Amino acid sequence: MSKPIFTKFATSVAAISFAAACATSPAQSNGTAAADQAGKPSAEEIAIAERADPLTRANFWNTQYNKFPTDPDIAASFSESLRQIGSDKRAAEVANLAAVSHPHNYDVLLEVARAEQGQGNLVAAVRAYGAAAELKPNEATPYAAVGAIYDQNNDHDAAQNAYREALLRDPARPATLSNFGLSYALQGNLDKAEEKLKQASSLPTATAQVRQNYALVLGLLGKFDEAREIAKIDAPDYIAEKNIEFLAQMIGKNVQLEKIAQQSGRDVPLTEDAIVAELPAAAPTETVESELMEEPKTLAQRSPKRPVLRGTLSDGQ
């Protein structure tokens, strides 16, 4: 079942790591640092570093990587930390170099994929996700991630096939169900979008952004009362009210909304964390792989000007 999802980008571990073959490895001291397993950080030290701010975390893993440049787990963690501070190019170099020595390490291949995706190298990213899927065919993550990539490239049918494969392996993935719903919304099928997003938002592990997606699609369907109730779960009432009112005005519906609560006599501005209109096209969430998505076609044809769909297309983690 996995092959058709990746056929547009022939899977090849050799192709993934080709660019890394000429990369320069970190300095070593006669290989003794890499061999000194006793010097690796403890679980407690790692836990503290993982709770730190992104720059501190990156510095921690940089130190470990310089000591143990051939350790695949450390390389993957270092690459991830680099992505979190915006160093996508360096993250890809680290991950690809690790893939040369560890071409059958699932976590390393996932990190190659994410790092390449962060740079916009989507062909390389899909290849890496495909290689990871071959190593662990029952894991949903590679399929969910590739679905997001297809959606970003406006191939929504392929995206939906990938989401189905991911959900066959893990039916209770809120981010994947949310992406599935957004994919339908981008095709103008808001009824199916509502169905998937309702399912996603009902899961106990659903995030605020998943619920925001659901509220947005409900608003686009004109179900403003329902959208308001969903929006209020994660945002103060006055923010939820103002966003739903703005959404209603942008869609052109003749809807009377309750008077919006104000603090200190001032209007509360819209925030990017709530449901908003007139923002850049929908962006992924949960990870750093943020690419723009375009507005659903059926909405674009209406008058007055429609809100641009802003959703939470995730890489499927």
Side-chain angles (χ1 to χ4, degrees), residues 225-248:
D225 289 338
E226 295 178 53
R228 183 189 299 112
E229 292 307 309
I230 297 298
K232 286 180 179 179
I233 294 174
D234 303 293
D237 287 357
Y238 56 85
I239 293 292
E241 292 284 359
K242 193 167 185 67
N243 279 285
I244 296 300
E245 180 189 43
F246 190 31
L247 179 60

Side-chain angles (χ1 to χ4, degrees), residues 56-172:
T56 299
R57 183 174 181 270
N59 284 331
F60 171 83
W61 286 115
N62 179 54
T63 298
Q64 301 307 318
Y65 183 67
N66 286 332
K67 292 180 180 178
F68 309 103
T70 61
D71 185 287
D73 296 331
I74 288 176
S77 294
F78 182 38
S79 177
E80 180 186 4
S81 71
L82 287 167
R83 289 191 294 108
Q84 290 179 345
I85 61 172
S87 297
D88 293 316
K89 183 178 180 180
R90 177 59 176 149
E93 291 173 353
V94 170
N96 275 290
L97 185 60
V100 173
S101 300
H102 306 280
H104 303 296
N105 185 296
Y106 177 80
D107 292 329
V108 167
L109 291 177
L110 281 186
E111 191 52 39
V112 169
R114 290 164 180 159
E116 294 292 358
Q117 188 176 353
Q119 290 193 103
N121 298 331
L122 301 185
V123 171
V126 172
R127 284 174 175 165
Y129 283 129
E134 288 188 349
L135 290 175
K136 293 189 177 183
N138 293 324
E139 288 292 323
T141 296
Y143 296 92
V146 168
I149 290 176
Y150 281 130
D151 263 334
Q152 291 159 13
N153 284 274
N154 303 314
D155 191 346
H156 306 304
D157 290 336
Q160 290 157 23
N161 286 335
Y163 297 142
R164 290 186 187 97
E165 290 290 336
L167 292 170
L168 282 175
R169 290 157 174 79
D170 187 354

